[in-house]
Amino acid sequence: MDLLKSYTEPNDDDSNSPPSSPDTSPIRFSIRPKSAAPQVDDTRLALSISSNPLSTKPLDPTQHVVNYNPTYDQLWAPIVGPAHPYAKDGIAQGMRNHKLGFVEDAAIEPFLFDEQYNTFYKYGYAADPSGGIGSNYVGDLDAVRENNAISVYNISQREQKKRKLEKKKEAEEENDNVGEGVDDPSTEEWLKRNRKSPWSGKKGEIDTELTEEQKKYAEEYAKKKGEEKDGKKDKAEVVADKSTFHGKEERDYQGRSWIAPPKDAKASNEHCYIPKRLVHTWSGHTKGVSAIRFFPKFGHLILSAGMDSKVKIWDVFNSGKCLRTYMGHSKAVRDISFCNDGSKFLTASYDKNIKYWDTETGQVISTFSTGKIPYVVKLNPDDDKQNILLAGMSDKKIVQWDMNTGQITQEYDQHLGAVNTITFVDNNRRFVTSSDDKSLRVWEYGIPVVIKYISEPHMHSMPSISLHPNTNWLAAQSLDNQILIYSTRERFQLNKKKRFAGHVIAGYACQVNFSPDGRFVMSGDGEGKCWFWDWKSCKVFKTLKCHEGVTIGCEWHPLEQSKVATCGWDGLIKYWD
């Protein structure tokens, strides 16, 4: 018992001390808890915050940095101060939805708003959107009672009929009150009854007689209009065909024609060379020359198409003079094309005519037209299909004629722009066409379905295409100042390794061509030069300054391996060796 009493009774000396343990109890240790964080005296901070006037002062809108955490009340307090840097009326940019400040959206339908808006401007009153105290209308309350609070959109049918009758009655009264001066144009009554537009009746006031010249012009104009209505406006112009021979005689002492090739004309070797000097210049066209073509296989004659609407043929082998002029078009000649033996040729002109000429006699064998401008003409290269004519037209079509019957046998209509070129490939079973729609299309001959369509976003229009002598490649003159090479195999892929550039032809349909052995690519350009590239390395081999202005056409002589003919818009044809 003494032991228990000593354990429970507190010590008189130290009332706060814990009771002492008996000798037999285990020893107890009082360990003070510790914290890893250092002790901070925040009394000073609390005093500084409580005594800081910034905690209650509104934010200054001109300051860019706040060095303390503002309270919610400070953030949303109205802006004070003489001026705000972003808003003249003191409203922050984020709190405005109108150029004059902040406007709260009202819960009102657009139709109801328009109804009350128009009612107020017609009658002087409108429904109170806030549901005003005492009266539900604002504005002229007397007008509300007089009109039974109607709006402009809910006038009763009875009221509408009443107003119509009132207007009718007023009109009758005006007619009854017409005075005696109703027939006198000088009176006000006449002016009120005959009010018209200042321009009314102007046509009937012209009574002047036409002169003889004006009557003649009016008759021609009416006739032309009548033809257009009858569907004849697309007909081509009719021009009398004639030809002039400039040589000494059309047949020699042996009876041979002047177009007969010389017997000793043959290729000296198969290796081609770049020309270096000017040999001859033909001048006879009064305007630019748009195309030249050598006589097939022999090249002893050269045919030229002029913008003066004439076609001329020149002697290359002997005298170097113009031998015959063909005149049958009324506008510039766009394209020319020989048949396989050179005895006939085609011309396409801006007068919408395609003419088939006899080279020797200068007679027009036949004329073809669809009423559209032909941009390119081509005969089927097969010897048994020399009566098949293909023409690329300005109305996006390739038209095929049988020249024996004069009938259109096929139309290839897939392009989206004027057709610029027609090139036969794959042993003449297919042909490739290019157009202003910046695409290439491959067709099976006789089938108006595109078998290959080539169009990329980076492609430009290709106004001239030439076939490589080995028939495996096509050289396409692209209007972004480069010549692109396409394969004529099944896939017609672009050869990315071959690209010929350096010339400037943007905007001009300069012709591209190959040397007979395929070693060189050549092209005219817009600055009057003729460019020659090496086919294998694609490097520029030589440039010749040929013409003043644009060198539009260039042809390599089929037998003379180092001779080239060029034509330009200066009206000249030049022969280089």
Side-chain angles (χ1 to χ4, degrees):
M1 291 298 292
D2 294 336
L3 183 59
L4 290 174
K5 190 181 291 184
S6 63
Y7 183 78
T8 56
E9 287 181 357
N11 193 358
D12 295 337
D13 297 334
D14 190 4
S15 60
N16 295 329
S17 62
S20 59
S21 299
D23 296 337
T24 57
S25 63
I27 301 173
R28 295 186 179 186
F29 298 96
S30 60
I31 301 174
R32 190 172 185 178
K34 289 186 178 182
S35 173
Q39 291 187 359
V40 178
D41 185 8
D42 56 354
T43 307
R44 195 180 217 175
L45 179 63
L47 290 174
S48 64
I49 292 175
S50 61
S51 61
N52 188 6
L54 295 176
S55 59
T56 57
K57 183 179 178 181
L59 293 175
D60 184 5
T62 59
Q63 67 181 16
H64 298 283
V65 179
V66 180
N67 295 321
Y68 61 94
N69 291 332
T71 62
Y72 176 86
D73 294 333
Q74 282 181 287
L75 290 174
W76 292 99
I79 295 175
V80 296
H84 188 268
Y86 308 113
K88 294 181 180 179
D89 54 2
I91 300 178
Q93 196 71 24
M95 296 180 65
R96 59 172 58 238
N97 60 4
H98 189 266
K99 63 181 181 180
L100 300 178
F102 182 81
V103 179
E104 293 185 1
D105 293 331
I108 182 169
E109 294 292 331
F111 174 79
L112 299 177
F113 178 83
D114 291 341
E115 180 184 18
Q116 297 306 321
Y117 178 86
N118 293 314
T119 302
F120 183 83
Y121 278 94
K122 183 173 180 63
Y123 299 117
Y125 62 86
D128 187 359
S130 62
I133 300 172
S135 173
N136 292 330
Y137 290 91
V138 294
D140 189 356
L141 300 180
D142 295 334
V144 176
R145 289 189 289 271
E146 289 177 6
N147 296 299
N148 294 325
I150 62 172
S151 69
V152 291
Y153 291 166
N154 61 4
I155 299 175
S156 62
Q157 292 185 355
R158 182 179 177 183
E159 186 70 21
Q160 292 178 16
K161 290 180 180 179
K162 183 179 176 182
R163 292 187 181 183
K164 286 181 181 179
L165 291 173
E166 288 177 356
K167 288 184 178 180
K168 188 177 181 181
K169 190 175 181 181
E170 289 177 1
E172 290 175 354
E173 289 177 357
E174 285 183 1
N175 292 333
D176 294 339
N177 294 333
V178 172
E180 297 179 356
V182 68
D183 296 328
D184 186 3
S186 63
T187 60
E188 293 185 3
E189 288 79 4
W190 187 91
L191 291 173
K192 289 180 181 179
R193 288 181 60 83
N194 295 277
R195 278 181 299 186
K196 289 183 178 180
S197 168
W199 298 274
S200 64
K202 286 290 182 183
K203 287 185 178 180
E205 294 174 5
I206 302 175
D207 294 330
T208 57
E209 293 186 4
L210 299 176
T211 63
E212 292 297 327
E213 187 179 354
Q214 289 173 332
K215 287 180 181 178
K216 185 178 179 182
Y217 177 80
E219 290 173 1
E220 290 177 356
Y221 183 78
K223 186 178 179 181
K224 184 179 178 182
K225 280 291 183 184
E227 289 178 354
E228 289 182 0
K229 288 182 180 179
D230 295 340
K232 298 178 182 178
K233 61 181 178 180
D234 283 340
K235 294 298 180 183
E237 300 178 25
V238 179
V239 180
D241 305 318
K242 60 181 180 178
S243 176
T244 305
F245 183 70
H246 305 291
K248 292 181 179 180
E249 51 189 2
E250 296 192 19
R251 294 189 178 274
D252 61 3
Y253 68 99
Q254 290 183 334
R256 291 179 300 183
S257 171
W258 61 274
I259 67 166
K263 292 185 177 180
D264 56 347
K266 60 181 180 180
S268 56
N269 56 40
E270 295 181 354
H271 197 78
C272 291
Y273 302 93
I274 299 294
K276 298 179 180 178
R277 60 189 177 90
L278 179 64
V279 177
H280 190 76
T281 301
W282 291 287
S283 60
H285 287 284
T286 57
K287 294 183 180 178
V289 180
S290 56
I292 52 173
R293 300 286 184 268
F294 273 110
F295 196 90
K297 299 179 183 177
F298 300 99
H300 63 290
L301 301 173
I302 188 168
L303 190 70
S304 64
M307 297 180 187
D308 55 359
S309 74
K310 296 178 182 178
V311 177
K312 292 178 179 286
I313 194 163
W314 314 80
D315 186 9
V316 178
F317 193 75
N318 294 317
S319 64
K321 295 180 179 179
C322 178
L323 295 179
R324 188 178 279 278
T325 301
Y326 306 87
M327 294 168 284
H329 293 288
S330 62
K331 293 183 180 177
V333 182
R334 163 87 184 195
D335 191 31
I336 48 178
S337 178
F338 271 114
C339 67
N340 283 357
D341 59 1
S343 61
K344 301 174 184 66
F345 65 90
L346 288 163
T347 59
S349 170
Y350 284 101
D351 63 1
K352 304 176 183 177
N353 283 321
I354 301 170
K355 295 199 174 186
Y356 192 43
W357 301 79
D358 187 288
T359 310
E360 181 181 356
T361 63
Q363 299 295 318
V364 175
I365 300 171
S366 52
T367 303
F368 308 93
S369 177
T370 62
K372 303 297 180 183
I373 299 173
Y375 281 177
V376 56
V377 285
K378 190 80 69 174
L379 287 172
N380 190 307
D382 287 338
D383 291 330
D384 59 342
K385 295 187 180 69
Q386 287 289 285
N387 62 318
I388 303 299
L389 159 65
L390 279 84
M393 313 301 287
S394 60
D395 63 345
K396 314 169 190 176
K397 296 179 181 178
I398 299 110
V399 184
Q400 179 178 312
W401 276 278
D402 184 347
M403 291 192 294
N404 293 338
T405 62
Q407 300 296 320
I408 295 176
T409 58
Q410 193 62 266
E411 280 190 355
Y412 306 85
D413 186 9
Q414 292 287 323
H415 276 292
L416 305 176
V419 181
N420 292 323
T421 65
I422 299 172
T423 309
F424 280 88
V425 297
D426 194 14
N427 294 325
N428 307 324
R429 290 179 296 178
R430 298 172 180 159
F431 61 93
V432 181
T433 60
S434 67
S435 166
D436 286 345
D437 61 5
K438 304 179 183 179
S439 70
L440 293 178
R441 295 172 198 253
V442 185
W443 314 76
E444 289 277 0
Y445 170 73
I447 303 174
V449 179
V450 175
I451 62 171
K452 181 70 176 182
Y453 170 61
I454 304 170
S455 181
E456 297 291 339
H458 58 78
M459 285 177 61
H460 288 67
S461 181
M462 298 177 182
S464 175
I465 290 180
S466 182
L467 185 65
H468 193 276
N470 65 12
T471 70
N472 291 331
W473 305 99
L474 285 175
Q477 184 83 269
S478 179
L479 284 185
D480 57 348
N481 299 329
Q482 59 179 341
I483 298 172
L484 303 177
I485 306 299
Y486 288 89
S487 168
T488 60
R489 303 289 182 179
E490 292 295 325
R491 302 183 67 180
F492 288 90
Q493 282 185 323
L494 173 67
N495 188 339
K496 297 181 180 179
K497 295 182 180 180
K498 287 193 181 296
R499 173 181 168 274
F500 304 92
H503 58 325
V504 179
I505 51 95
Y508 305 105
C510 296
Q511 183 183 349
V512 60
N513 223 318
F514 287 96
S515 61
D517 62 354
R519 290 179 57 236
F520 299 106
V521 182
M522 69 173 178
S523 167
D525 80 344
E527 298 175 348
K529 297 178 182 178
C530 186
W531 292 67
F532 298 88
W533 293 269
D534 183 79
W535 169 253
K536 289 186 177 179
S537 65
C538 300
K539 293 181 180 179
V540 177
F541 201 91
K542 191 180 181 63
T543 60
L544 291 173
K545 176 64 177 176
C546 298
H547 297 272
E548 295 295 330
V550 182
T551 302
I552 198 72
C554 55
E555 286 268 334
W556 211 295
H557 196 285
L559 297 181
E560 301 281 347
Q561 281 80 10
S562 62
K563 292 186 178 178
V564 169
T566 61
C567 67
W569 284 3
D570 55 0
L572 302 177
I573 304 164
K574 294 188 177 182
Y575 197 40
W576 304 82
D577 187 4

